Amino acid sequence: KYNIQIALAGYSKKDIEVKVEENTLLVRSNKETPAEKQDVIHQGISKRYFERHFTIADDVEVLGAELKDGLLTVSLERIIPEHKKAKTIAIK
């Protein structure tokens, strides 16, 4: 089992989208970026649009995601098919 953790202070559950397509896990914000202001020197992550892609193997399944105290945790599990598991061969 594996976890991917992303710090997302200032975001709520409705502001984040977690999606799996083929072998890619996508985490992105739904927040609209306000029009650029010329007097702003720095905007924290909670005010910006972001998108992160993670490549996952064919045998990895996404179990779920949880946002708690500004930390998004996506749970993954590697499921090994029977034909790839180690086998003990009896000696005759």
Side-chain angles (χ1 to χ4, degrees), residues 74-90:
V74 180
S75 300
L76 310 166
E77 182 177 9
R78 183 173 181 213
I79 299 174
I80 302 172
E82 287 298 320
H83 68 278
K84 289 188 175 182
K85 289 184 180 179
K87 297 177 189 175
T88 303
I89 308 299

Side-chain angles (χ1 to χ4, degrees), residues 12-56:
S12 66
K13 293 177 185 179
K14 65 181 173 121
D15 297 329
I16 301 168
E17 178 182 5
V18 179
K19 193 179 203 180
V20 178
E21 286 185 29
E22 296 179 19
N23 290 2
T24 303
L25 173 68
L26 170 67
V27 179
R28 68 176 162 203
S29 67
N30 292 329
K31 278 193 171 182
E32 295 291 326
T33 304
E36 293 292 325
K37 295 180 181 179
Q38 292 189 10
D39 60 341
V40 175
I41 296 173
H42 174 75
Q43 281 187 323
I45 190 169
S46 66
K47 302 295 181 193
R48 297 184 295 180
Y49 173 81
F50 75 91
E51 186 172 300
R52 301 288 184 269
H53 298 267
F54 300 92
T55 303
I56 56 176

